[in-house]
Each structure stands twice: as C-alpha cells, then as structure tokens.
Amino acid sequence: MKKTRALLFLLAFLLCGVPLVCSAQEASKAPVLVVHGEADPIPVASSEAWARAFPNGRLLLVKGAGHLPQVEQPEVFFGAVEAFLKGGRVPGAR
C-alpha cells in the first residue's frame, strides 16, 4: 500500500504536475523518488529541494533527458521506478 501511494505521488507529480494530497505524517514516512532530466529547463535545485523535503527522498538525474524523462529515456525512467517500487536501490539516485 505504501509503495502504491509513493508511485501515485510520483506519477501525479511527473505527469500532471499536481501532487496527490496526503497527511503530513504519511508523506514524511513514505519513500519518494524525484526524477529530473539533466537538460530540463526547470532548475535542478527545485527537484533537489523536493527530494530533501522528505526523510526518505532520493533524486535521480537522468542523462539525455529534458522535461519528460519518462518519454525521452523510458528504459532509465521505468527501470528506476521498478527498482524503487521493489524497495531496492535505484542506481544513480542520491
């Protein structure tokens, strides 16, 4: 259930730009993976701040991707999401 919420939060943020609403207590415990394309015109500092805002937050910078890493580098993006949802280490995430 927690992994499902984390995935929904991630997908809502990446695809819609609107995070799902949950309690601060739930959000603070949930693992969070923030994915940012290295060539994204939005400054990486915003994604770094998102990742730092959560105790279990991680940031993955995707090389060769701009604002849509899920489209531009699908193998990297979906591989990272799959590893994240399985509770494993996401290669390259910090």
Side-chain angles (χ1 to χ4, degrees), residues 13-29:
F13 181 74
L14 288 175
L15 300 177
C16 304
V18 180
L20 297 177
V21 177
C22 61
S23 74
Q25 184 179 15
E26 287 176 332
S28 67
K29 294 177 184 176

Side-chain angles (χ1 to χ4, degrees), residues 1-2 12 14 16 20 27 42 44 48 54-56 71-72 74-75 78 83-84 93:
M1 183 71 158
K2 289 181 183 178
L14 288 175
C16 304
L20 297 177
I42 296 174
V44 71
E48 290 169 338
F54 296 91
N56 294 315
V71 174
E72 299 167 89
E75 297 84 10
F78 289 107
F84 174 75

Side-chain angles (χ1 to χ4, degrees), residues 63-74:
K63 293 179 182 178
H67 190 65
L68 300 171
Q70 68 274 22
V71 174
E72 299 167 89
Q73 294 291 334

Side-chain angles (χ1 to χ4, degrees), residues 4-93:
T4 301
R5 284 187 185 161
L7 175 62
L8 290 174
F9 180 87
L10 170 72
L11 291 176
F13 181 74
L14 288 175
L15 300 177
C16 304
V18 180
L20 297 177
V21 177
C22 61
S23 74
Q25 184 179 15
E26 287 176 332
S28 67
K29 294 177 184 176
V32 174
L33 178 63
V34 179
V35 181
H36 189 97
E38 284 188 336
D40 194 329
I42 296 174
V44 71
S46 62
S47 291
E48 290 169 338
W50 269 94
R52 278 194 312 271
F54 296 91
N56 294 315
R58 297 288 180 264
L59 173 64
L60 176 65
L61 293 176
V62 180
K63 293 179 182 178
H67 190 65
L68 300 171
Q70 68 274 22
V71 174
E72 299 167 89
Q73 294 291 334
E75 297 84 10
V76 174
F77 177 83
F78 289 107
V81 170
E82 183 176 359
F84 174 75
L85 291 176
K86 288 181 178 178
R89 184 176 176 278
V90 176

